[in-house]
Amino acid sequence: MDADPVAPVTGERPVGVAIVDDHPVVVEGVRAWLATEPRLTVLATGDDPDEVLRAAPAADVVLLDLRLHGRMALDKLAELSAAGRRVVVYSEHTDPQTMLAALDAGAVAFLAKHEGREHCVATVLAAASDRPYVPPALAGAIVGDARPDRPVLSDKEREALLLWFQSMSKASVARRMRISEHTVKQYVDRARIKYTRAGRPAATKAALLARAIEDGLIRPEEIGIYRSQASYDRPTP
C-alpha cells in the first residue's frame, strides 16, 4: 500500500513547500520559480533536511536535492518518505538507475535540475495532490527500456493502472470500468506483486508508474501533462 498519512491538498490553502539544497543560488532560483504560482508558498529553505522541516513541520511537499554536502541522500529520502513526507527529488543526477532508486526509496516524483520553471511548478502541484507527473528527463530515461524480466499485465490490470495514473481515485476508476473499487485495488496490488516477484518492487505510485513506463506498458503521453490550472477536486487515495 502507498504511505499516505496526509490527505491530498484541496486548494483551500496554498501548498507549503520546503526546499532542501546546499547551493544558495539554486534555492533562490527555485524560490523565484515557485513564487510565480499563487497556489504555492515556500515555508522554509536550507541545506539540512531536519532543520528545514523543524522550521516548516507543516510543509506539504519537500523539494530535496539528492546530493547534499558531497554525498547522496537516498537514506534521508527513504526516512522522510517513511515518515509520510511527499518528497520531490530535484537533482542533476539523471541516469535511469538513480531516478528509479529515488522512486523506489519513496520519492513521489523526480525532477532534473535542468528542467525549467513550468515543470518544477507542475511537479510540486501534482505531488501536493498525490497526482503523477512525468517530466521529460524521467520519461526519456525510462521509456522503451524493455527488460526481459518485465511482468505481464492483463488488459484489465493495465486499464486500471492507466486510469489510476491519470489522476483518478480508485473509486472513479471503478465507476469508469464498471467494477467494484475492491476489484480496482486488486488489479493495482496484483501489478505490484508481479513487479516484486520480478525483483523490481514498486511500493509507491510514482515507482509503479516509472516501472510501467520503463517496460513500455504505459506511454508517458497517455498520462498527459499536469497543468498548473488543474483543479484539486479529485483526490487520489
Side-chain angles (χ1 to χ4, degrees):
M1 294 177 62
D2 291 342
D4 187 20
V6 183
V9 177
T10 63
E12 296 177 356
R13 58 176 176 80
V15 172
V17 184
I19 303 173
V20 183
D21 197 298
D22 55 0
H23 294 89
V25 66
V26 174
V27 171
E28 291 309 309
V30 172
R31 183 198 288 274
W33 283 351
L34 300 183
T36 66
E37 170 53 64
R39 288 173 292 169
L40 299 176
T41 181
V42 176
L43 300 179
T45 67
D47 61 3
D48 182 283
D50 295 328
E51 290 183 5
V52 170
L53 289 173
R54 275 196 293 270
D60 301 295
V61 177
V62 180
L63 197 60
L64 176 71
D65 185 2
L66 195 58
R67 188 175 181 85
L68 295 171
H69 306 293
R71 63 179 298 273
M72 299 299 278
L74 282 170
D75 289 347
K76 176 55 69 173
L77 166 60
E79 177 186 323
L80 294 173
S81 300
R85 293 287 182 180
R86 296 185 184 95
V87 182
V88 172
V89 167
Y90 187 54
S91 178
E92 73 273 13
H93 299 280
T94 56
D95 59 282
Q97 293 79 12
T98 297
M99 288 183 170
L100 282 173
L103 296 178
D104 287 343
V108 299
F110 193 107
L111 185 68
K113 282 194 172 181
H114 68 262
E115 290 172 317
R117 180 193 63 82
E118 178 184 3
H119 290 297
C120 183
V121 169
T123 301
V124 173
L125 285 170
S129 198
D130 293 334
R131 299 169 187 264
Y133 183 82
V134 186
L138 179 60
I142 61 181
V143 70
D145 181 16
R147 298 188 178 188
D149 59 348
R150 62 183 180 183
V152 177
L153 302 183
S154 71
D155 290 342
K156 289 295 186 181
E157 287 168 348
R158 182 188 179 281
E159 182 182 1
L161 284 180
L162 179 57
L163 291 173
W164 186 48
F165 291 146
Q166 290 174 332
S167 302
M168 285 191 176
S169 67
K170 291 187 178 76
S172 297
V173 174
R175 289 192 294 271
R176 178 76 172 269
M177 295 181 67
R178 297 184 179 181
I179 57 179
S180 71
E181 187 173 348
H182 176 71
T183 301
V184 172
K185 184 178 182 301
Q186 283 185 321
Y187 286 149
V188 173
D189 288 346
R190 273 191 297 201
R192 284 203 174 104
I193 290 169
K194 288 179 180 181
Y195 272 107
T196 299
R197 287 176 176 170
R200 300 163 63 205
T204 66
K205 188 174 187 178
L208 188 57
L209 173 60
R211 296 296 190 195
I213 293 175
E214 181 185 31
D215 291 339
L217 301 172
I218 302 289
R219 299 189 306 275
E221 61 267 25
E222 291 181 291
I223 303 304
I225 300 299
Y226 180 84
R227 298 296 183 186
S228 61
Q229 296 303 313
S231 66
Y232 291 133
D233 59 352
R234 290 182 301 174
T236 305

